């Protein structure tokens, strides 16, 4: 929620009465505000890639390989095949965000369902604990290898394996929160009035767990972004001609000793994206999660 | 204590069995008929049936699974379709490399993370804390393998300070082995160092504010003694669980770093096998990794309850 607030205030920066809200947000948490602004810029760049990119990401200019940044027509230079690095980076960013969105959605939805069930129905708890144990035993790389072996490497496979890998993390947090809310007086009262479980979970437990889930999601986001880059770098994620910052790095590795810039650029963008998510995540945790926030 | 250990052990066995079932079913879901692959594309139905019976594929799934379990437990992991050699040989030669890399990475991460975390807590609100939080943010945001690429380019090739690739067994030359492994290990360990740092700092801040530390201060111990012995010992307990949870990060980091630094470890073996559709090796590596995960977490949990009497007591009460 802070992200939305800071994002909104960041967008209002140029106009408005010298951005009173912006200044307030900056004073309260300057790092979080900077992170929020960065997230907005990078998400807009990724979503708007088809409009912003000067060329299609795969268009080659064989006559113009290894152009340096600020070349006319190629603001960030070109790679070994003369492909525009700015366009490839924008589309790669777009893929990172797609995978992040799918991955986080998978982990949050499945993790929340498992966590609610485990926390509410005590008899299910040991069963779900074993399920999450088994899921934890399969790191995302192993899951992705499985997906790649069964149906060939793909964006969807990478996103789902990354999402599945973080289901236990969400499930554990939601379970703890469910246990906490379940023991509160208002839930006891509602149960005494014979409220049904689904209504209770949706009406009382989930809203109370929402902020914890949001914090958990911001922790997972950068990990999914980095995970996609690793998988695509290894050839287990997005496949060419699809765009990925990981593929750009894998391409750039082949001519690393000739020019380092094509390898530097996607790494910087990945780091900025993750930094932005981490900054917003830290700010959100401070604000929404008083237990850890107080200790910081 | 014994009861707690027994129930934890039972849980681990159940987890292992479930994981092996998932792997077994996953391998069955792979495209292609193993009998057809073994007998050749032009085999007639009769030969195919014989081969199927030889491989045990005509048996019910339950029997196949039990046989698979039996073979696995006795160390028979099958034959690599790529090299024709036993899979266990390939794993035995790759495992030590990955193990050394991960353990070294973990050591670096824990050492850096604890020292930086303690300093950040001790000098709260001053520059060491600021530096530590910048470091942890950066280490969690920068892609490990990108850092590896740049390190190879600038530190190994540019400066010539480290070997750019290759592996030397510590049995033949310990110093050269360390020289080869230290740069990849530092890089693999960075994200874990950041997590350890944050956890150490948080629990140290809690400890420094607690009654037992106040008591220790009142006895006239120097602040350094209080911070590094009394408060830190209490904070270390929490760290043991992180090791287990960070294993996935370490494994992924090790796999991609092995590729960049040309280390012949499990990561390289797995990738080679995936791309040449060498399913027995893939299946075996996945089995080994999940088993290692379950066993290490079991050990961590046991260690945890040995280190912290409170958990022992709580476990006995439950």
């Amino acid at each position: 929620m802070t992200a939305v607030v800071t994002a909104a205030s960041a967008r209002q920066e140029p106009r408005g009465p010298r951005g009173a809200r912006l200044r307030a947000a900056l004073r309260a948490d300057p790092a979080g505000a900077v992170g929020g602004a960065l997230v907005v810029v990078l998400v807009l760049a990724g979503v708007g890639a088809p409009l912003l990119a000067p060329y299609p990401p795969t268009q080659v200019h064989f006559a113009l390989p290894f152009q340096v940044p600020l070349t006319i027509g190629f603001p960030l230079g070109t790679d070994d095949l003369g492909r525009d690095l700015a366009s490839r980076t924008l589309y790669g960013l777009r893929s990172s965000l797609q995978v992040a969105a799918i991955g986080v959605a998978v982990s949050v939805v499945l993790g929340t369902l498992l966590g609610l069930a485990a926390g509410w129905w005590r008899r299910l708890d040991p069963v779900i604990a074993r399920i999450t144990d088994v899921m934890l035993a399969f790191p995302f790389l192993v899951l992705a290898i499985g997906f790649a072996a069964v149906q060939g490497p793909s964006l969807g496979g990478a996103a789902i394996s990354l999402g599945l890998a973080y289901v236990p993390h969400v499930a554990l947090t939601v379970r703890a929160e469910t246990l906490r809310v379940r023991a509160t007086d208002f839930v006891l009262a509602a149960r005494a009035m014979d409220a049904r479980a689904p209504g209770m979970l949706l009406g009382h437990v989930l809203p109370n767990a929402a902020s914890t889930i949001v914090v958990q999601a911001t922790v997972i986001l950068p990990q999914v972004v980095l995970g996609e880059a690793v998988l695509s770098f290894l050839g287990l994620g997005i496949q060419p001609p699809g765009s990925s910052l990981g593929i750009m790095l894998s391409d750039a590795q082949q001519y690393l000793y000739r020019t380092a810039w094509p390898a530097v650029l996607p790494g910087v963008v990945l780091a900025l994206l993750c930094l932005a998510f981490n900054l917003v995540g830290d700010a959100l945790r401070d604000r929404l999660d008083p237990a850890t926030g107080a200790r910081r | 204590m014994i009861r707690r250990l027994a129930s934890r052990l039972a849980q681990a066995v159940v987890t292992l069995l479930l994981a092996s079932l998932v792997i077994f079913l996953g391998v069955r879901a792979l495209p292609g008929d193993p009998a057809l692959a073994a007998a050749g594309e032009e085999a007639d139905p009769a030969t195919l049936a014989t081969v199927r019976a030889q491989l045990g594929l005509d048996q019910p799934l339950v029997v196949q699974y039990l046989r698979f379990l039996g073979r696995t437990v006795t160390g028979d992991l099958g034959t690599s379709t790529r090299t024709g050699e036993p899979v266990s040989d390939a794993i035995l030669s790759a495992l030590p490399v990955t193990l050394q890399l991960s353990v070294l990475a973990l050591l670096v991460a824990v050492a850096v993370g604890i020292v930086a975390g303690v300093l950040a807590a001790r000098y709260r609100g001053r520059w060491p804390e600021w530096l530590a939080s910048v470091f942890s943010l950066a280490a969690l945001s920068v892609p490990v393998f990108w850092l590896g690429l740049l390190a190879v380019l600038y530190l190994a090739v540019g400066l010539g300070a480290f070997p750019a690739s290759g592996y030397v067994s510590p049995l033949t030359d310990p110093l050269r082995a360390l020289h080869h492994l230290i740069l990849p290990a530092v890089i693999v360990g960075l994200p874990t160092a950041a997590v350890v740092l944050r956890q150490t700092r948080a629990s140290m801040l809690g400890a420094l504010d607690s009654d037992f530390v106040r008591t220790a201060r009142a006895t006239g111990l120097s602040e350094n003694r209080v911070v590094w012995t009394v408060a830190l010992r209490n904070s270390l307990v929490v760290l043991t669980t992180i090791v287990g949870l960070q294993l996935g990060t370490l494994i992924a980091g090790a796999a991609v770093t092995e590729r960049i630094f040309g280390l012949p470890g499990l990561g390289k073996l797995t990738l080679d096998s995936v791309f040449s559709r060498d399913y027995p090796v893939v299946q075996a590596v996945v089995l080994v990794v999940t088993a290692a995960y379950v066993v290490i977490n079991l050990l961590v949990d046991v260690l945890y309850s040995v280190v912290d009497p409170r958990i022992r007591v709580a476990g006995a009460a439950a």
Side-chain angles (χ1 to χ4, degrees), chain B residues 43-70:
Chain B
D44 55 90
T47 342
L48 211 57
T50 328
V51 172
R52 189 156 287 151
Q54 273 171 3
L55 293 174
L57 293 171
D58 54 345
Q59 303 284 330
L61 264 185
V62 181
V63 176
Q64 288 191 40
Y65 172 65
L66 290 178
R67 283 189 178 168
F68 159 77
L69 263 192

Side-chain angles (χ1 to χ4, degrees), chain A:
Chain A
M1 272 150 260
T2 320
V4 181
V5 174
T6 51
S9 26
R11 240 174 308 177
Q12 284 167 2
E13 190 185 4
R15 47 202 169 83
R18 285 285 105 197
R21 278 175 67 198
L22 175 73
R23 247 177 293 156
L26 270 172
R27 242 199 316 276
D29 192 340
V34 169
L38 250 180
V39 166
V40 171
V41 170
L42 290 169
V43 167
L44 286 180
V47 172
L51 299 172
L52 294 170
Y55 306 93
T58 49
Q59 186 179 332
V60 293
H61 306 87
F62 286 122
L64 296 164
F66 299 121
Q67 297 296 304
V68 290
L70 301 177
T71 308
I72 293 169
F74 302 100
L76 294 177
T78 59
D79 66 4
D80 57 332
L81 301 174
R83 292 175 295 194
D84 180 45
L85 285 174
S87 308
R88 288 182 70 70
T89 307
L90 283 168
Y91 276 94
L93 186 62
R94 187 182 167 84
S95 303
S96 297
L97 293 170
Q98 274 172 356
V99 173
I102 301 173
V104 170
V106 168
S107 59
V108 164
V109 170
L110 289 181
T112 304
L113 289 175
L114 283 176
L116 285 176
W120 192 263
W121 291 285
R122 307 300 297 141
R123 228 173 269 174
L124 280 179
D125 195 21
V127 178
I128 293 174
R130 288 294 77 69
I131 295 177
T132 48
D133 270 2
V134 173
M135 293 180 87
L136 271 176
F138 292 95
F140 78 85
L141 197 63
V142 171
L143 286 174
I145 285 170
F147 267 99
V150 173
Q151 50 147 37
S154 67
L155 185 147
I160 293 173
S161 43
L162 282 162
L164 285 179
Y166 291 104
V167 166
H169 301 71
V170 180
L172 287 174
T173 340
V174 174
R175 174 183 171 274
E177 199 62 14
T178 308
L179 284 175
R180 192 183 63 77
V181 177
R182 192 175 187 268
T184 52
D185 289 342
F186 75 88
V187 170
L188 277 178
R191 289 174 75 189
M193 289 161 67
D194 207 21
R196 306 298 297 259
M200 294 291 306
L201 287 173
L202 286 181
H204 297 298
V205 181
L206 198 57
N208 274 288
S211 64
T212 328
I213 298 175
V214 170
V215 169
Q216 194 69 30
T218 57
V219 174
I220 297 171
L221 260 173
Q223 314 226 35
V224 173
V225 168
L226 290 180
E228 183 277 318
V230 168
L231 290 178
S232 299
F233 177 80
L234 293 174
L236 295 169
I238 298 172
Q239 296 296 299
S243 304
S244 157
L245 297 171
I247 295 179
M248 288 179 74
L249 279 168
S250 157
D251 288 347
Q253 189 190 12
Q254 290 160 18
Y255 46 85
L256 191 60
Y257 299 115
R258 182 168 169 173
T259 166
W261 168 246
V264 172
L265 176 66
V268 169
V269 173
L270 272 174
L272 276 180
L273 184 59
C274 294
L275 181 71
F277 283 142
N278 278 324
L279 284 172
V280 171
D282 286 355
L284 276 179
R285 197 179 44 200
D286 287 350
R287 202 164 291 190
L288 296 179
D289 194 354
T292 51
R295 263 189 292 154
R296 286 168 52 87

Side-chain angles (χ1 to χ4, degrees), chain B residues 49-102:
Chain B
T50 328
V51 172
R52 189 156 287 151
Q54 273 171 3
L55 293 174
L57 293 171
D58 54 345
Q59 303 284 330
L61 264 185
V62 181
V63 176
Q64 288 191 40
Y65 172 65
L66 290 178
R67 283 189 178 168
F68 159 77
L69 263 192
R71 282 196 305 270
T72 306
V73 171
T74 52
D76 176 9
L77 296 172
T79 313
S80 161
T81 55
R82 186 165 50 111
T83 60
E85 284 165 16
V87 173
S88 46
D89 288 2
I91 288 190
L92 280 181
S93 73
L95 190 59
V97 181
T98 304
L99 221 53
Q100 287 169 52
L101 180 60
S102 319

Side-chain angles (χ1 to χ4, degrees), chain A residues 130 134 136-138 141-142 145 149-150 233-234 249 253 257 260 263-264 267 271 274-275 278-279 282 295-296, chain B residues 11 14 18 30-31 124 137 141 145-146 149 152-154 157 198 201 205 255 270-271 274-275 279 286 290 293:
Chain A
R130 288 294 77 69
V134 173
L136 271 176
F138 292 95
L141 197 63
V142 171
I145 285 170
V150 173
F233 177 80
L234 293 174
L249 279 168
Q253 189 190 12
Y257 299 115
V264 172
C274 294
L275 181 71
N278 278 324
L279 284 172
D282 286 355
R295 263 189 292 154
R296 286 168 52 87
Chain B
Q11 282 173 14
V14 172
L18 283 175
L30 292 175
R124 188 172 196 192
L137 257 179
S141 302
F145 62 110
W146 177 64
L149 281 181
V152 168
L153 182 63
Y154 293 113
V157 177
R198 289 184 159 199
R201 176 178 163 277
L205 284 179
T270 316
L271 290 173
V274 168
F275 293 123
Y279 294 142
V286 173
T290 46
Y293 184 90

Side-chain angles (χ1 to χ4, degrees), chain A residues 134, chain B residues 10-23 65 69 294:
Chain A
V134 173
Chain B
Q11 282 173 14
V13 171
V14 172
T15 308
L16 266 180
L17 283 176
L18 283 175
S20 69
L21 186 64
V22 170
I23 294 167
Y65 172 65
L69 263 192
V294 173

